[in-house]
Amino acid sequence: MNAAIYLRKSRAEENDLDTLARHREQLVTFAAGKHISVIKTFEEVVSGERLYARPQMLELLADVEAEKYDAVLCMDIDRLGRGAMSEQGIIIETFKNSGCKIITPRKVYDLNDDIDEQYTEMESFLARQELKMIKRRMQRGTQKTKAEGGHVANPPYGYKRGWDGKRPTLEIVEHEADFVRLIFSMYIEGAGGTAIANQISEMGAVPRRGKKFGRTSIIAMLRNMEYLGHTVSNRIKHIKGIKHKVIYKSRAEWMIVKNTHPAIIDENTFKKAGKILEGRYHPPANTGEVKNPLAGLIVCEKCGSYLQRIPFKKSTGQYTLFCTTPGCCTSTRLDRAESAVLDYIREYLAQIESGKMQRRENGKTATEALKRERKAVDEQMSRLYDFLEQGVYTVEVFVERQRSIKIKQAAIDASLQKYKNLETQKDFVNQVRMALEAYEQATPEGKNQLLKSIIGKVYYFKSKEYKPAQFDLSVVMHETID
Ligand SMILES: [Zn+2]
């Protein structure tokens, strides 16, 4: 690092003859310790406040402007620029534009970096008026950078700071970008902000600030055009007062520079999400074709809501089932749930085919016997009326007898129904067998219809303690075997 030393007495030191020599020694030693090579020393003999009264300073500034040094060493910062305000502005500006640092034994000042922090320390050095002027100039510089597509604000989630030459831009952070893509696709599939926030948190996404993603930040991300590769600035205005206030500007005031950095989300996806946000679009879950074989079948056992199918990893084409209620059941891969349902159906079929067929044969004889019994009871009932008419039974006795016969009839009917169910089961078993045979070749919508023809509902449960592939399912078939 090449540097110049600038020496000047402060007002208080005017009568001290050794001051500059002492300072020179200190700075040279300091520079040696820091491996800074001093290529020139400026020594102001006069202690004038105005620049024109400081010929060495004028010379130094010319050198700095010509970018001859990486840094200028001085004892403390106000040695450089005590005095008239506009002149201090010139000094600061010159250092800033040439990228020359100011180094004091106490601190390194880089006027292109961390500018706000620097300013607090420079406030004693610069008058308030001057500070405002410089800030305005810097803002103009920032505006210029923005107009050229430079990204000066904090990088949004999914990106980090990158550089295109001197232009600040954004670089994709892949593991974060995956979550950004997931957020958009879940939203388009019909999930709400809160459900998405919970889902991605569960999958390990952590926001830059704060502990956990919430609905508001998800919605803000869905609106952020920077994911399209455009730089958007002038969205907000900060008002500093007793309380820091932020005003959101209207869209018309935004400054948008297109294609300034790599996009994470494509135009089409962004538009779809935008339409849902505006409430003008109904997600395909409500209207279009069925892509989930378990659609309208699988419900969360805890909250009763239907589980939603969402893409898990685009690259693998994997989907996951998740409960839309915040903090409810943990999600599971769709293919795992689907094969578990099919396993259940196969098991159901095997059970019937092994033992229950025999029972059905026995059932035939039982049904005939029951029918005969029912006929006998019906005759008893009709005889009751005769006895009542003939005066054999009093009204009280009639009512009593009638009630006991009705109970008998109901019991016979129930038994008959059970065996009748066994008959319908025979048809149902055939239907299950056919559904299983046709399943593999069917489209997702066809699979869904096949399942719906044999299943009423699938109840799903999974707690956080479960392993990824572990979950509980209870399948309710249209016909149950007893
Ligand atoms: Zn639930």
Side-chain angles (χ1 to χ4, degrees), residues 19-207:
T19 306
L20 293 188
R22 205 170 56 239
H23 285 173
R24 184 208 300 269
E25 201 189 313
Q26 279 176 32
L27 287 176
V28 167
T29 314
F30 174 80
K34 299 274 177 191
H35 304 288
I36 300 169
S37 47
V38 177
I39 54 175
K40 198 170 175 182
T41 302
F42 297 85
E43 199 168 309
E44 208 80 75
V45 248
V46 290
S47 65
E49 301 229 326
R50 311 298 307 243
L51 265 188
Y52 63 80
R54 294 199 273 148
Q56 292 287 294
M57 176 50 102
L58 289 176
E59 208 179 299
L60 173 70
L61 285 180
D63 279 5
V64 168
E65 202 168 14
E67 298 183 11
K68 285 190 181 172
Y69 317 113
D70 301 308
V72 167
L73 270 63
C74 58
M75 280 311 287
D76 47 68
I77 195 151
D78 57 76
R79 305 267 165 185
L80 278 182
R82 187 161 47 88
M85 294 160 190
S86 60
E87 288 171 3
Q88 286 159 4
I90 291 167
I91 295 167
I92 292 289
E93 213 43 7
T94 308
F95 274 84
K96 193 180 115 47
N97 288 340
S98 61
C100 185
K101 292 185 176 67
I102 300 167
I103 298 178
T104 70
R106 205 167 49 85
K107 191 171 166 32
V108 176
Y109 297 85
D110 181 350
L111 303 190
N112 284 305
D113 196 46
D114 240 0
I115 206 73
D116 278 331
E117 197 187 316
Q118 303 285 350
Y119 273 131
T120 53
E121 287 202 26
M122 280 190 211
E123 239 157 340
S124 59
F125 165 45
L126 293 169
R128 211 166 269 277
Q129 199 77 22
E130 187 64 21
L131 200 61
K132 265 188 195 163
M133 194 186 77
I134 292 172
K135 276 193 172 175
R136 254 203 307 278
R137 260 187 242 164
M138 293 203 44
Q139 271 166 6
R140 273 204 295 275
T142 310
Q143 288 299 96
K144 191 169 168 268
T145 312
K146 283 179 185 172
E148 286 163 358
H151 197 284
V152 291
N154 288 329
Y157 183 84
Y159 288 107
K160 64 176 180 186
R161 165 74 57 241
W163 293 93
D164 176 13
K166 275 196 168 183
R167 185 174 67 90
T169 180
L170 296 176
E171 248 174 62
I172 292 181
V173 178
E174 268 313 322
H175 73 275
E176 289 185 356
D178 278 342
F179 283 120
V180 175
R181 292 183 198 109
L182 182 61
I183 289 166
F184 275 83
S185 54
M186 280 178 78
Y187 192 70
I188 287 168
E189 296 272 338
T194 312
I196 296 172
N198 288 315
Q199 175 71 16
I200 64 161
S201 301
E202 204 176 89
M203 289 168 75
V206 182

Side-chain angles (χ1 to χ4, degrees), residues 300-305 307 323-325 328-329:
C300 170
E301 199 180 282
K302 272 168 89 179
C303 70
S305 61
L307 298 182
C323 174
T324 53
T325 306
C328 201
C329 280

